[in-house]
Amino acid sequence: MAVLEVWGSRGHDVIPLEDARCSVGTSADADLVIADDPAVSRLHLVLETIGGRWCIRDLGARNGTYVNGERLFAERVLRDGDEVVLGRTRLMFRERSRDSEPETVGLEPPPRLTDGERRVLVELCRPLLAGNVFTPPAAVRDIAVRLYVTEAAIKQHLGRMYDKFDITRDAGEPRRVRLANEALQRGAVTLADLRANSEDPGR
C-alpha cells in the first residue's frame, strides 16, 4: 500500500492512500486537508492511480508544487521516496513494491551517543520543529549559546557525530544539514525531544 508521510507545522503524520484518488489542499472538500499552511492553495494538487502507478498533478496552485526540488509542470509518476513540497509542507511518498520480497521498513538504527552529543544533536535539529521545510538546522554559535558551552566544544561533539553517522565531506549539502536529516530519519531525535525543555535546554 502507498502512504504519504506529511511533515508540517503540526509535526509528522502518515496518511494511507486507500482510494484511487487523493486531492490535497486547504479546502474542507480536499481528501487531505492542510489546514495550517496559508501558502497551500484550496485545491493544490491531486494524486491518482493510473495503470497501477501513482501519479501527481498540480491543480494550478499559486505557489506551485515541487517534486524532488523540481517544479511540477505536467503529470508525473511518483516513485518510492519522492519528496513533494507544497507551500511550507513536505510530503514523502512511500510505496512498497507488490512484486518484490518484503523490504526492511526501518532505517539503520542510530549509533550510540553520549549525553553531551545527544544534547547537541537535539539543539541542532530544534529549528526544524517550526515545520518550515526550508529551515536549516541550528548554527554552531546558536547551539553553544543554548547549552552554555564554547563553540569549540560544540564542534568537537559534531565532529564525533559526523564519524558515528558516517557523514563525509562532499560538495553537496553541508554536513550539519545531513546530520540533522540522518538523526530525524533514524530516530536519534524525535519531535518529542525537540518539544521537551525548549525553554531550558540545559536541563
Side-chain angles (χ1 to χ4, degrees), residues 1-202:
M1 172 183 287
V3 300
L4 285 178
E5 294 182 10
V6 183
W7 296 81
S9 62
R10 296 182 181 179
H12 174 240
D13 200 2
V14 177
I15 308 298
L17 294 173
E18 299 176 325
D19 298 322
R21 185 178 189 275
C22 178
S23 57
V24 182
T26 60
S27 170
D29 294 328
D31 299 307
L32 173 55
V33 179
I34 310 293
D36 52 354
D37 187 345
V40 173
S41 296
R42 292 185 69 256
L43 289 176
H44 198 106
L45 62 86
V46 64
L47 295 94
E48 297 178 293
T49 52
I50 300 176
R53 302 294 301 274
W54 279 95
C55 300
I56 184 171
R57 177 164 45 93
D58 182 271
L59 297 177
R62 178 176 181 179
N63 291 315
T65 300
Y66 295 80
V67 178
N68 299 332
E70 298 180 0
R71 185 156 185 168
L72 187 66
F73 291 105
E75 195 165 61
R76 173 170 174 165
V77 174
L78 286 174
R79 293 176 172 79
D80 180 54
D82 279 351
E83 181 183 71
V84 179
V85 173
L86 58 159
R88 296 181 176 86
T89 301
R90 178 169 58 126
L91 310 177
M92 187 72 73
F93 177 78
R94 296 292 188 187
E95 184 178 36
R96 294 174 61 184
S97 172
R98 297 177 181 178
D99 300 326
S100 63
E101 291 296 320
E103 298 178 0
T104 303
V105 176
L107 294 171
E108 181 182 351
R112 187 183 299 275
L113 302 174
T114 66
D115 290 342
E117 289 168 350
R118 194 169 189 282
R119 285 194 294 270
V120 170
L121 196 57
V122 168
E123 294 307 321
L124 176 73
C125 297
R126 193 178 297 281
L128 306 182
L129 184 63
N132 187 335
V133 297
F134 303 108
T135 301
V140 169
R141 177 180 297 179
D142 295 333
I143 299 173
V145 169
R146 287 187 61 84
L147 295 182
Y148 307 105
V149 297
T150 65
E151 292 184 36
I154 299 301
K155 290 178 180 178
Q156 287 181 348
H157 283 306
L158 289 174
R160 287 193 292 268
M161 287 190 287
Y162 292 148
D163 291 337
K164 290 184 176 183
F165 281 87
D166 196 25
I167 305 295
T168 58
R169 294 183 183 273
D170 61 25
E173 286 184 311
R175 288 195 295 174
R176 284 188 308 109
V177 175
R178 291 158 56 206
L179 176 60
N181 287 334
E182 280 287 315
L184 290 170
Q185 291 171 3
R186 292 168 61 177
V189 174
T190 67
L191 290 174
D193 294 328
L194 301 183
R195 294 190 180 103
N197 300 325
S198 58
E199 297 302 322
D200 187 6

